[in-house]
Amino acid sequence: MATAPTPYWQAWEGQALVVGPGGLGLALAAELARRAPSLRVRTAGRRGADLALDLNDDGSLERFSAMAARDLTPLRVVINTAGLLHDGTLQPEKRLSQVRRHALERSFAVNAFGPLLLAQAIEPALAKDGPVHFASLSARVGSIGDNRLGGWYAYRAAKAAQNQLLRTLAIEWQRRLPQACVTLLHPGTVATPLSAPFSGSQAPSALFTPERSASHLLDVLEGQTAAGSGAFLAWDGQAVPW
């Protein structure tokens, strides 16, 4: 009688890191720990996390990199959920007249530069002798080909920039870390503070809980290998246009 194959995540050993301990980040960390009991899952962020990390602070990134190389090896899974759409002084633009330099700079700092600088910081800790996942949340509104409504200049452009930066990273890692897989993920509309002001028009079936979105996203990552590194995928595994 044939032996059933070991479920994907249960075969992984080492360390895992979820950056951005908001609702979706915490749900991803919990679901990953459930699926991969041999992985030690840690969270990182400015507050409410196991480890201190500010993606906008070079000193924080340097300290985190040194710590990761010492304490987080071998790092097998990294998922970045940090993102910025709005806060007390920042709102998505509806028209050109609302565009402001400071909003563009803040959005790019978190949504575009942050994921790439995170990859730079954790690279020394990545496993060299087995498969590695590096995933980051993008957004369908960052798709240039799928842009039908306009508006949201800063957020759209920053997410599109993240897509290009991490696609470029995937190509580099194919040469230097051939077992690494980089994936950009569109999580759907998730019931978190980031989407709350804009989810009122969503049908209940289209608004995911963090736990449901986390399960979908890990299902997608389970289907990804180094051969498909650099993909931009939605929560259901479908490719999103660049």
Side-chain angles (χ1 to χ4, degrees):
M1 183 175 179
T3 303
T6 301
Y8 182 87
W9 292 103
Q10 289 188 21
W12 288 52
E13 296 182 350
Q15 306 257 358
L17 178 69
V18 178
V19 177
L24 182 52
L26 292 176
L28 279 163
E31 180 65 8
L32 184 56
R34 186 187 72 79
R35 296 192 187 197
S38 294
L39 282 178
R40 184 188 186 195
V41 182
R42 311 291 296 277
T43 60
R46 291 187 298 174
R47 59 184 70 88
D50 303 327
L51 305 168
L53 175 61
D54 185 345
L55 296 179
N56 286 335
D57 184 314
D58 288 342
S60 177
L61 283 160
E62 290 172 3
R63 290 187 295 274
F64 192 86
S65 182
M67 180 279 299
R70 182 182 67 247
D71 299 334
L72 297 185
T73 56
L75 192 52
R76 304 293 304 280
V77 180
V78 180
I79 304 176
N80 173 55
T81 71
L84 175 65
L85 175 58
H86 63 89
D87 62 14
T89 61
L90 180 70
Q91 294 294 326
E93 311 91 343
K94 295 181 179 179
R95 57 186 65 86
L96 179 62
S97 62
Q98 295 176 339
V99 172
R100 297 292 183 269
R101 181 184 299 276
H102 73 89
L104 292 166
E105 291 174 342
R106 288 188 64 204
S107 187
F108 270 73
V110 175
N111 299 314
F113 306 154
L116 187 68
L117 294 172
L118 171 64
Q120 182 184 61
I122 57 85
E123 185 184 53
L126 293 178
K128 307 300 189 294
D129 58 352
V132 171
H133 278 302
F134 182 91
S136 185
L137 296 190
S138 186
R140 189 177 293 275
V141 297
S143 165
I144 295 173
D146 193 56
N147 186 353
R148 303 286 188 270
L149 298 176
W152 290 32
Y153 284 91
Y155 190 71
R156 284 185 187 276
K159 288 295 188 179
Q162 180 195 175
N163 293 348
Q164 177 70 291
L165 291 168
L166 294 192
R167 175 75 174 185
T168 302
L169 172 68
I171 293 169
E172 178 181 343
W173 277 0
Q174 283 175 342
R175 297 190 294 265
R176 297 196 301 103
L177 294 169
Q179 296 192 70
C181 180
V182 178
T183 309
L184 292 142
L185 295 169
H186 167 59
T189 303
V190 186
T192 64
L194 183 142
S195 64
F198 315 102
S199 59
S201 61
Q202 292 285 332
S205 60
L207 183 63
F208 297 162
T209 64
E211 292 74 20
R212 179 182 173 189
S213 181
S215 182
H216 285 315
L217 294 178
L218 292 183
D219 287 346
V220 171
L221 289 183
E222 286 183 5
Q224 286 299 101
T225 66
S229 185
F232 181 17
L233 303 174
W235 61 270
D236 57 0
Q238 297 299 305
V240 181
W242 295 108

